[in-house]
Structure formats: structure tokens, C-alpha cells
Amino acid sequence: MTHLTRCHLNPARNRLTSSPQRLHAAVAAAFPPPPASAGPGHRVLWRLDETRQPHPQSTLLIVSPQQPDLTHVIEQAGWPRLATPDNPGWDTRPYTPLLTALRPGTPMRFRLTANPTKAAFRRGQRGVRTAAATPADQIQWLLQRAPGAGFAISQHLDRPDLTVTDCRVRDFQRGPAGRAGSNVHLHAVTYEGRLQVTDPDALRRTLTQGLGRAKGYGCGLLTLAPDSTTPHTPQG
């Protein structure tokens, strides 16, 4: 069973959400350690959706094989005094019905935050992965990966129905607070647009395993919504 969790956060309490490392640790702490027998399908994906209009709003989305316990997230970054047993501050729903309902040719709206990269070649050296920093490179990155991910980007007026809606450069130190760790530099790029399902099995893997790099830091989660839904509301 796969689950989709939506958790609305308090934008005024942003110490947790301002750091990919802290949010990564908080999401990991929402689940018990995976069993030793856990296979490649045992992955947790997350994404932080932030909007400014008509008012600031932050929503944490999680796709996971288990239901999370986000009590600590609500205590640090939600509205803990408003939480009740019936409404703890987050909502988890089965994701499997959407996964099993995918059919070739189905049009869908999508949103994806990813870490697009490209190979930079230097004479006498192997290619080094660097950030795809321009909108053209970012869009090309997704167009190249769409077929293998189980979908095709729809066309509008002979152009891909695809927009880069946000790009944030994130620099932070990986590892527990107070300890020396490696520096992480990534471009978190948010895409929105329309797609058509081409390979349901491949798309199911993409939806549950993620797309691209930096999955532990809020990248890779693709969500779908019916083509008529405006604005994008992930279905589950």
C-alpha cells in the first residue's frame, strides 16, 4: 500500500521549512526504521509547496509505503494547539487507487520539483554533473526524461505545455547539526504543466520512486491531478 500525506504548515514558524537538511530529518523521523528486508520500493518522497498569493501558505507532501506520524512536525512548524485526535494537523490517504487507475493516453496536470543536472565536459576529464541553471536547460532535462518516466509532455500551440514556476538555489551542510559534514549545492526547480500517460508501469515507478537526484532533500516528487483541476491539487 502506498500513501499520500498532505500537511499544512505555519509559514510564520519557518525554522524547520527553511532548511532542507532539517526538513529531511523531520520527514525521516516520521517513520520507524525500514525493515532489513525492505526492497527498492521502500522509499519516502517529499516536497514542500509554497505559495505567496493570495496569502503565504506552506504544504508538505509525502508519498510513502507507510503512514507517517507527523506529530513532531506539527509541534515545530504547524498549529499544535489546534490539533485534535480527529484532526492531528495532517491528512493521509491511500495513493494506490490513483496508481492502479493509470491508463495510456490519459491527460493529467502535473507538478514536479526536481534537481535537474547536466554533464559538463572538460578536455582530458570525464563529464562532471553540474546544475542545469537556465530555464531552457531545465525544460530540456525534463523533456529528455519524460519517455523513460512513463509520460509525454502535452503540446500547446506546437510547444510543450510545460512551465518552470520556481527555481531556488539551496546551499546547506549535510549531516547532523553541530557536526562537520559535506556542503550540498542544488537547484530545486518546480515544473507545472500537462502530460499524457504513455507507460502506466513506468509512471507508477516514477510516482513512488521519484525522478532525478536529491530525493532526500525535497526533489523528485511528481504529483498528478485531473486535467480539469485548477489550481493543481494532488490526487490520492
Side-chain angles (χ1 to χ4, degrees):
M1 176 69 76
T2 304
H3 304 275
L4 172 66
T5 299
R6 183 182 291 104
C7 179
H8 296 297
L9 303 179
N10 186 340
R13 307 176 70 189
N14 63 1
R15 180 181 179 278
L16 187 64
T17 58
S18 64
S19 166
Q21 175 63 31
R22 286 194 289 265
L23 195 49
H24 161 73
V27 171
F31 304 90
S37 60
H42 194 98
R43 173 178 284 281
V44 174
L45 299 171
W46 63 271
R47 186 178 80 214
L48 184 65
D49 286 350
E50 297 180 287
T51 59
R52 298 299 175 192
Q53 299 295 333
H55 52 78
Q57 184 174 353
S58 299
T59 304
L60 176 64
L61 296 173
I62 302 174
V63 169
S64 59
Q66 294 177 282
Q67 296 189 47
D69 180 352
L70 297 174
T71 303
H72 60 295
V73 174
I74 296 300
E75 290 173 347
Q76 296 178 67
W79 290 269
R81 294 187 179 182
L82 300 181
T84 67
D86 293 332
N87 183 15
W90 70 90
D91 177 56
T92 299
R93 299 183 182 185
Y95 205 35
T96 303
L98 179 140
L99 299 176
T100 57
L102 295 173
R103 297 291 183 271
T106 304
M108 305 286 285
R109 294 178 62 87
F110 76 89
R111 179 178 292 158
L112 166 71
T113 294
N115 173 222
T117 60
K118 63 179 182 178
F121 294 96
R122 297 182 179 90
R123 181 173 297 181
Q125 298 181 359
R126 297 180 61 183
V128 177
R129 304 306 301 183
T130 62
T134 69
D137 285 342
Q138 292 161 357
I139 287 176
Q140 186 63 26
W141 179 89
L142 185 55
L143 293 175
Q144 290 175 343
R145 280 153 184 78
F151 61 90
I153 301 296
S154 302
Q155 297 289 309
H156 178 67
L157 300 178
D158 296 325
R159 300 184 64 180
D161 195 346
L162 168 64
T163 304
V164 171
T165 60
D166 192 24
C167 178
R168 302 191 182 194
V169 178
R170 295 177 175 170
D171 289 285
F172 56 95
Q173 189 174 74
R174 177 164 35 203
R179 296 185 184 178
S182 59
N183 291 325
V184 177
H185 175 86
L186 61 86
H187 285 64
V189 178
T190 300
Y191 304 86
E192 292 188 22
R194 290 178 170 82
L195 59 76
Q196 286 189 325
V197 180
T198 56
D199 184 336
D201 288 337
L203 184 52
R204 290 183 193 104
R205 288 192 296 271
T206 301
L207 292 170
T208 56
Q209 294 297 298
L211 186 63
R213 298 168 177 247
K215 298 182 182 71
Y217 297 104
C219 295
L221 176 55
L222 171 72
T223 54
L224 304 177
D227 194 27
S228 60
T229 298
T230 304
H232 177 92
T233 303
Q235 300 297 291

